[in-house]
Amino acid sequence: ELKVEQNPLFLSMQEGKNYTIYCNYSTTSDRLYWYRQDPGKSLESLFVLLSNGAVKQEGRLMASLDTKARLSTLHITAAVHDLSATYFCAVDPRGSARQLTFGSGTQLTVLP
Amino acid sequence: EAGVVQSPRYKIIEKKQPVAFWCNPISGHNTLYWYRQNLGQGPELLIRYENEEAVDDSQLPKDRFSAERLKGVDSTLKIQPAELGDSAVYLCASSLQRGETQYFGPGTRLLVL
């Protein structure tokens, strides 16, 4: 059974600071997604990472994938209040029983 | 381009009552998914459709849950009878095809009293 673990689960940070969210997974995969969810809203796709070493950046967010370590990171640079949300990673395992499996999410609060 | 549409947005029912959720995927998307999201957790897949065929329903509690996707477009998820533990957000998502990025609807927030 594929397991996806995110840490931290809760993150409170000051505006202007940098931080990294980690996503570990337990099985082989070369496709990983990051989603953002605002309170009471649905999930918004941020990044899809398709190969080992993939790096994608959008604004203050940068995501990377290391398939050998089974690890993805979401780095936040110079955080602003608008980034406050819950961030989920989701792993698409290889093989016939492909089913997108989500982590528990990281609830990010950016304080002024 | 219109996104995934779901209705209702909120539903409050008493236990043992039936309830149904409706989803209209993004036009042209062949694959449709129903997820359940409990408070403080990530979504969990209930069922996946490829066109009108349910190809992965291993996580669907079949004694009380049913789903259909007539004509390979809109889909309905039903619970009968509802239990207290069914309180959650039910999300619909669609993708062009299996393995492509999934786009989520706003969800239906269900409260069973």
Side-chain angles (χ1 to χ4, degrees), chain A residues 36-63:
Chain A
R36 168 181 171 146
Q37 187 175 36
D38 290 288
K41 301 290 179 65
S42 191
L43 286 86
E44 173 191 353
S45 177
L46 293 175
F47 302 109
V48 53
L49 302 168
L50 299 176
S51 61
N52 186 40
V55 177
K56 289 198 174 178
Q57 183 164 3
E58 180 74 32
R60 302 174 187 273
L61 300 178
M62 183 173 71

Side-chain angles (χ1 to χ4, degrees), chain A residues 99, chain B residues 21 33-36 44-49 54-68 75-80 86 90-91:
Chain A
Q99 182 184 112
Chain B
F21 315 124
Y33 313 78
W34 282 103
Y35 287 87
R36 177 168 58 191
E44 294 178 326
L45 182 70
L46 292 174
I47 189 168
R48 171 171 62 92
Y49 281 92
V55 294
D56 184 355
D57 62 355
S58 57
Q59 306 299 319
L60 191 71
K62 297 182 183 62
D63 57 336
R64 297 184 299 107
F65 285 65
S66 64
E68 61 183 10
S75 178
T76 303
L77 177 69
K78 297 179 181 177
I79 308 174
Q80 183 170 9
D86 296 331
Y90 291 83
L91 294 165

Side-chain angles (χ1 to χ4, degrees), chain A residues 21 23 25 29-35 45-58 61-67 71-75 88-93 98 100, chain B residues 99 101:
Chain A
I21 299 171
C23 174
Y25 54 95
S29 172
D30 53 9
R31 187 181 290 252
L32 187 141
Y33 300 84
W34 284 95
Y35 285 87
S45 177
L46 293 175
F47 302 109
V48 53
L49 302 168
L50 299 176
S51 61
N52 186 40
V55 177
K56 289 198 174 178
Q57 183 164 3
E58 180 74 32
L61 300 178
M62 183 173 71
S64 66
L65 178 62
D66 181 342
T67 59
L71 170 69
S72 180
T73 60
L74 181 66
H75 187 73
F88 291 95
C89 65
V91 177
D92 183 352
R98 294 174 69 180
L100 199 60
Chain B
T101 297

